[in-house]
Amino acid sequence: MLYFDNAATTKPDSSVLDSFMKVNQQYFYNPNSPHAKGVEASRLLQQARNQIKSALNLNDETVIFTSGATESNNMALKGVAYQKKQFGRTIITSVLEHPSVLEVCRALETQGFVLKYVNVTKAGRIDMDHLKSLMSSDVILVTCMHVNNIMGQVQPIEDIATLLKDYPKAHFHVDAVQALGKLPLITQDVDSIALSGHKFNGLKGQGVLILNNMHNIEPIIHGGGQEYGLRSGTVNVPIDVASAKAIRLAEERRSDMMSALVQVNQTLRDFISQYKGVCINSPIDASPHILNIAFPGVRGEVLVNAFSKQGVMISTTSACSSKHAKVNEVLQAMGISTSCILGSIRLSFDINTQHADIQQFKHAFDKVYKEVKELLE
Ligand code: PMP
């Protein structure tokens, strides 16, 4: 079996699983309990936060543990919008965002916030001139992903952060789910960052929200006041410790893994380009862990099944939106033709992707191509 669906989820690293098991067995205590064992668990939790801070070169930021990036995005976007509503009502996003951002912004719109979409260039990047034109003193929140989960294009986070320095009321939130372990995370002048453990060989059900100012946000979950009052509920120390380990490993391995994936990506691009009618959707400068291609005239679902029969696990546009029949907005915003959108598939790689896998993929690709060749437009 060849697993090329790592943007959907990755295989947990065995040392991360070991940490999870060990902490569950030895430190299952409630870190809020005042007794000696509770204090030990609390210390471990604090160590995990510090490990994340040092792995990501953070300074005064606060690390909040959540259940995943969906929760981190909800917590940041709603929390900031509610906290800042007396200063302004405008929120800026783009259609490129993951549903865990876009749908939150749309929900906020129904609550009286004004939602503006920044244009996207053909390369799938935020149009900075358009963003400048949308900025005003009413903007309280700008949200942008670091790396796109469907095409892999990288957004100009530094440029946006620099622009927003002139708008001190505007909070800048970055969904860095597909960036951690792939690029150096940009934290300078970014107000909050969402991460998800299972995208970098950690565990599902574990997320992080990095916040640079606790006063900018209102809690959306109320209760016992855990996680600095922002996320009430008994803290899952084992999974948070495991996540800190996954972040540390991802950062340590980043450079070697990315050099290997640049080769994998280029080899596949060269190979696929030889096949008439197949197009490569991902821009050339996209993060190499994602390669989006299209067989115009053939449905993505048909291709996923055909590859699956050959033992290759891939996805259509993304696991999160592939169950919905509507044409993908991200690819549409990039000016990609409808047949290239409907016929698109995403290959995504991680630390476990070997150069040797490519040979197996080439055989599978050739077989699938022969099966669907007649349908290609
Ligand atoms: N943002 C991006 C860019 C993603 O790729 C994902 C996962 N597909 C999420 C947010 C949500 O992460 P999770 O499902 O772990 O909450």
Side-chain angles (χ1 to χ4, degrees), residues 69-304:
T70 298
E71 186 184 336
S72 300
N73 284 332
N74 270 267
M75 190 185 272
L77 300 173
K78 289 182 193 161
V80 168
Y82 298 155
Q83 178 69 20
K84 291 191 164 227
K85 63 178 183 291
Q86 74 269 32
F87 303 118
R89 292 254 145 188
T90 303
I91 298 171
I92 299 181
T93 189
S94 81
V95 292
L96 297 177
E97 297 300 313
H98 185 268
S100 61
V101 167
L102 211 45
E103 294 308 321
V104 179
C105 291
R106 286 171 179 163
L108 287 168
E109 192 178 21
T110 66
Q111 295 168 30
F113 290 92
V114 178
L115 185 57
K116 291 191 176 161
Y117 294 94
V118 61
N119 291 344
V120 174
T121 67
K122 283 241 179 318
R125 280 167 62 95
I126 297 297
D127 178 338
M128 286 302 296
D129 289 331
H130 189 233
L131 178 59
K132 277 179 204 153
S133 74
L134 292 180
M135 290 307 300
S136 74
S137 59
D138 193 59
V139 177
I140 49 165
L141 178 57
V142 175
T143 176
C144 178
M145 63 190 355
H146 201 153
V147 174
N148 184 264
N149 54 311
I150 297 174
M151 304 282 272
Q153 76 273 28
V154 182
Q155 294 302 342
I157 299 299
E158 270 166 328
D159 296 347
I160 300 174
T162 305
L163 170 69
L164 295 191
K165 277 202 226 171
D166 291 337
Y167 300 89
K169 273 195 290 180
H171 178 107
F172 184 25
H173 176 70
V174 175
D175 172 353
V177 167
Q178 298 289 346
L180 191 127
K182 281 91 187 179
L183 311 169
L185 218 59
I186 295 166
T187 54
Q188 182 85 28
D189 299 314
V190 172
D191 295 305
S192 54
I193 300 173
L195 303 171
S196 195
H198 70 106
K199 305 286 184 175
F200 43 84
N201 308 99
L203 303 174
K204 278 170 264 298
Q206 209 298 317
V208 168
L209 178 66
I210 297 164
L211 258 185
N212 82 350
N213 185 347
M214 298 294 288
H215 302 298
N216 281 348
I217 186 165
E218 209 174 82
I220 58 166
I221 297 173
H222 298 91
Q226 289 89 342
E227 295 298 284
Y228 307 94
L230 283 180
R231 197 211 186 219
S232 289
T234 303
V235 177
N236 191 341
V237 180
I239 204 165
D240 296 338
V241 169
S243 183
K245 176 142 204 170
I247 290 178
R248 194 164 52 77
L249 284 177
E251 281 299 301
E252 279 168 16
R253 295 168 173 173
R254 172 160 53 82
S255 162
D256 286 349
M257 177 183 90
M258 291 313 274
S259 310
L261 293 188
V262 165
Q263 303 276 324
V264 167
N265 189 296
Q266 192 55 52
T267 309
L268 288 176
R269 280 176 184 262
D270 293 345
F271 170 73
I272 291 163
S273 311
Q274 297 164 24
Y275 286 81
K276 207 168 152 263
V278 182
C279 25
I280 295 177
N281 286 330
S282 287
I284 190 74
D285 56 355
S287 173
H289 79 292
I290 294 180
L291 182 60
N292 192 302
I293 62 172
F295 289 64
V298 190
R299 301 286 300 200
E301 302 80 64
V302 171
L303 294 161
V304 169

Side-chain angles (χ1 to χ4, degrees), residues 37-51:
K37 290 296 172 189
V39 172
E40 271 179 29
S42 168
R43 258 195 221 121
L44 213 54
L45 186 66
Q46 202 47 43
Q47 263 173 26
R49 272 190 239 282
N50 291 340
Q51 253 184 26

